[in-house]
Amino acid sequence: MKVSSSVDTVSLATPPRPTRRRPANGSRRLKDFAVRWGALLAIGLVWELAARLADNLFFPPPSRIIERFFELWLSGPPTTFFLTESVATNIMPSLARLLGGWAAAVVFGVLLGVAIGRSKVVGDYVEPIIHFVRAIPPPALIPVFFILLGFGNEMRVTLIAFAVIWPVVLNTIDGVRSVEQLHLDTGRVFEFDWRKRFFGIVLPSASPKIFAGMRVALSVAIIMMVISEMVGRPDGIGNIILGAQRTYRMDDMWAGILLLGILGYVLNAILSAVESRITRWHRGSREGVS
Amino acid sequence: MSIQATATDLLTIEGLGHVYEGTEPFEAIGKLDFTVPEGAFVSIVGPSGCGKTTMLRCLSGLMKPTRGEVRLEGEPVTGVPRDLALVFQDYSRSLFPWRTVAGNIAYVLPRDLPKAERAARVQESLDAVGLGEAGAKYPWQLSGGMQQRVAIARALAYRPAILLMDEPFASVDAQTRAELEDLMLAVREQFGMTILFVTHDIDESVYLADRVLVLSKSPSTIVESLDVDLPRPRDQVSTRELDDFVHLRSHIARLIRDQSMKGRPAA
């Protein structure tokens, strides 16, 4: 009793830091890994068991889905690193439009956000319009993009870019508006030209917020990619899923869904890694290492 | 004017005044006239709320004063002049946390500077402030005193003719403060700079300077300009024991106390 109360006092005096910040040692990391993947494995096993017992056409067991996943995309010749032709004809175009639309949205979104955030005139005129336009659910604009851009790639990339530009714009506005005045004054003292001011102060200051916007944008981009592929010219992962469902190829449908999950997970992991590398200073300066 | 009697004036302030507009206009600076001779170390000291920060912003060209003129090397100051650098009190928000210590310094150097010379200048200024080994660290990995050293090194590498300092040591502990004061005297010798040093610490103003300007409360004017004839090099212990030092600091302390009492209802 005595011991536990003294521990309480200590933890009150210095609030415990979130576990994420603590440097993970070997056994700890192993435990984290086991907990994370163990839970997934357990759910998979329960699902497998339930699916086998139910024996329902629409819900095949995960083992069958994974088997089909390999058949569809990873059973090619060694010369193509075991990737099948479907990877080139379906997955690659999907990935290209996903990343193309997202990248375009990031570039234009950051430029627009900086213009709005740093210029009062531009902000006053454009910001209300932005808040109106972003309130429109992007799928509602599919017919408009059909008319303007046809049924192919242009329509899809534009739709993705249009849908995901807003989180980037809004986060950039927020980021560039919170640039430290003293950093800008420092730039003036040392006679920074606009390039140094933009790339040396404004962009790095806003980068943590911009990355947050980019992450939201990426997850929305995957959603929009699938939606855009369920209409118009038939190709892409979205089309595989829809086509399989319409022809009662449930294994294919679930394999496509699994593929989307993996894709989203991997892309997000890559972006997070890049983010934590570039904005390392942000975490460091907040924790006040000294 | 006994010390720099023959020196030319580097910075000239004539009839400087500033009023903050608004629903209740506030006159921060009344009328300031003074000069900073080339090579001199001039301290400005005053009671709290004497418009020191406003004055420095006007002198450095960050802000346009309502009245009067500031001239650096004979040229009227409109923007921030190339030959002037300013060290802020708040080093933690003046250094760029996304750059390393060396990166912070290198970034203020002209773009056309050859790479080798850039590296040499960074190293030279880091060595001058005693942080020769810290170039690869980030500012937030350093203590407050060390961060202010980095800010000083950055200004040194920029090679200004005049260095303005806005209460640079106000937020470090006493021990570090004494170290940084001596550091300033040393780098001033090494780089041959003119320094205008604003502080609210009377001892510090006397210890460092060739001349101390005492400001009044806002709207600020110069109450008195005092030449400091203490021998150099100065020493944290023996200089502060000298009769001249003690007399000067007491005289300034009285001036400032009188200023602080002004306009205050009698107790």
Side-chain angles (χ1 to χ4, degrees):
Chain A
M1 203 53 214
K2 188 87 185 145
V3 173
S4 79
S5 74
S6 79
V7 166
D8 283 351
T9 331
V10 168
S11 66
L12 271 177
T14 50
R17 294 176 149 206
T19 42
R20 202 161 54 83
R21 287 179 181 176
R22 204 175 296 159
N25 55 31
S27 73
R28 195 185 162 74
R29 207 173 281 178
L30 200 70
K31 199 179 149 209
D32 281 355
F33 183 84
V35 167
R36 213 173 290 167
W37 293 98
L40 191 70
L41 197 70
I43 291 171
L45 282 174
V46 172
W47 182 8
E48 179 79 32
L49 210 64
R52 276 172 196 263
L53 288 174
D55 195 21
N56 184 315
L57 168 70
F58 296 99
F59 295 98
S63 58
R64 175 68 203 126
I65 296 169
I66 293 168
E67 197 187 328
R68 188 66 189 137
F69 183 93
F70 275 90
E71 280 169 23
L72 280 172
W73 296 301
L74 294 171
S75 57
T79 48
T80 59
F81 299 102
F82 303 102
L83 300 174
T84 58
E85 213 192 312
S86 173
V87 172
T89 55
N90 286 306
I91 301 179
M92 284 309 164
S94 282
L95 258 179
R97 56 179 73 108
L98 166 72
L99 294 177
W102 177 75
V106 167
V107 171
F108 289 110
V110 168
L111 290 178
L112 192 60
V114 169
I116 295 169
R118 296 299 317 162
S119 156
K120 189 163 159 35
V121 181
V122 178
D124 285 349
Y125 281 104
V126 181
E127 217 178 339
I129 305 172
I130 293 227
H131 283 287
F132 176 76
V133 177
R134 84 180 179 97
I136 303 169
L141 292 169
I142 290 178
V144 180
F145 286 134
F146 270 172
I147 297 166
L148 294 175
L149 301 161
F151 298 91
N153 236 344
E154 295 84 356
M155 175 276 287
R156 286 171 178 157
V157 175
T158 313
L159 184 71
I160 293 168
F162 177 84
V164 309
I165 197 170
W166 311 116
V168 179
V169 171
L170 294 177
N171 273 279
T172 306
I173 293 176
D174 202 17
V176 300
R177 279 194 181 149
S178 54
V179 176
E180 285 285 356
Q181 186 55 45
L182 207 54
H183 282 150
L184 294 170
D185 283 347
T186 302
R188 282 175 71 195
V189 165
F190 294 111
E191 303 206 303
F192 285 10
D193 53 15
W194 72 267
R195 263 196 300 176
K196 270 188 162 182
R197 210 162 47 239
F198 181 73
F199 292 106
I201 301 176
V202 175
L203 214 52
S205 297
S207 62
K209 290 251 168 70
I210 293 175
F211 267 108
M214 283 164 71
R215 247 186 295 121
V216 175
L218 186 62
S219 57
V220 178
I222 295 173
I223 298 170
M224 290 316 297
M225 176 197 82
V226 175
I227 292 178
S228 80
E229 287 171 349
M230 289 183 167
V231 296
R233 202 171 295 148
D235 69 278
I237 304 168
N239 178 258
I240 291 177
I241 295 171
L242 193 69
Q245 182 241 317
R246 282 183 178 154
T247 50
Y248 293 94
R249 285 179 287 119
M250 291 303 146
D251 298 352
D252 289 25
M253 182 189 82
W254 282 105
I257 293 170
L258 178 65
L259 176 65
L260 284 175
I262 293 171
L263 210 60
Y265 183 88
V266 169
L267 288 176
N268 192 55
I270 294 171
L271 183 61
S272 293
V274 173
E275 175 182 3
S276 79
R277 173 115 193 87
I278 292 181
T279 63
R280 198 162 64 92
W281 62 268
H282 184 64
R283 272 195 324 284
S285 60
R286 283 189 146 197
E287 283 171 32
V289 184
S290 61
Chain B
M1 282 308 295
S2 56
I3 297 167
Q4 264 80 28
T6 53
T8 49
D9 290 335
L10 188 64
L11 190 70
T12 310
I13 290 93
E14 268 179 12
L16 185 78
H18 191 81
V19 181
Y20 285 102
E21 302 296 341
T23 44
E24 274 180 65
F26 171 69
E27 190 174 16
I29 306 176
K31 188 168 178 295
L32 290 179
D33 289 281
F34 66 93
T35 59
V36 180
E38 191 165 358
F41 197 128
V42 175
S43 291
I44 293 184
V45 65
S48 47
C50 68
K52 283 176 291 207
T53 300
T54 307
M55 183 194 66
L56 270 184
R57 290 185 73 84
C58 291
L59 294 191
S60 60
L62 283 173
M63 202 166 82
K64 196 180 176 308
T66 10
R67 293 187 300 267
E69 193 177 53
V70 178
R71 286 197 303 276
L72 180 66
E73 296 162 323
E75 296 289 314
V77 169
T78 45
V80 183
R82 167 61 189 89
D83 269 346
L84 182 148
L86 178 60
V87 172
F88 297 94
Q89 178 186 341
D90 194 350
Y91 44 80
S92 66
R93 287 189 297 150
S94 164
L95 295 172
F96 304 127
W98 48 85
R99 286 185 183 278
T100 60
V101 165
N104 262 281
I105 298 169
Y107 201 65
V108 306
L109 299 176
R111 201 176 278 127
D112 51 13
L113 204 67
K115 214 174 171 183
E117 193 180 337
R118 177 179 296 260
R121 271 224 228 167
V122 170
Q123 198 53 49
E124 178 196 37
S125 53
L126 276 176
D127 287 339
V129 299
L131 285 179
E133 310 293 311
K137 290 206 162 128
Y138 282 87
W140 37 267
Q141 292 172 316
L142 306 175
S143 69
M146 284 160 97
Q147 287 183 44
Q148 191 59 295
R149 280 170 195 258
V150 176
I152 292 166
R154 182 168 68 176
L156 294 176
Y158 189 62
R159 300 265 167 88
I162 185 164
L163 183 61
L164 270 48
M165 305 187 83
D166 183 6
E167 298 192 26
F169 311 143
S171 30
V172 298
D173 62 85
Q175 182 69 46
T176 310
R177 188 179 192 127
E179 281 169 26
L180 289 174
E181 285 166 6
D182 290 333
L183 173 79
M184 278 324 294
L185 294 176
V187 297
R188 177 219 187 189
E189 291 295 315
Q190 186 186 342
F191 290 81
M193 265 182 318
T194 308
I195 298 175
L196 182 64
F197 190 98
V198 172
T199 177
H200 58 241
D201 184 315
I202 297 163
D203 287 45
E204 182 172 83
S205 72
V206 177
Y207 178 72
L208 292 171
D210 301 314
R211 185 190 291 167
V212 178
L213 303 174
V214 183
L215 289 193
S216 71
K217 282 186 92 162
S218 283
S220 43
T221 52
I222 290 172
V223 179
E224 199 169 328
S225 166
L226 299 137
D227 285 340
V228 183
D229 284 322
L230 301 169
R232 291 187 187 272
R234 301 209 173 141
D235 179 87
Q236 286 287 353
V237 180
S238 60
T239 300
R240 289 171 195 265
E241 286 171 341
L242 297 173
D243 284 346
D244 282 353
F245 182 92
V246 176
H247 287 148
L248 264 172
R249 76 160 303 284
S250 307
H251 180 64
I252 295 170
R254 262 183 218 106
L255 288 174
I256 288 177
R257 189 182 56 190
D258 293 349
Q259 284 301 318
S260 306
M261 300 298 268
K262 248 181 212 171
R264 199 180 281 178

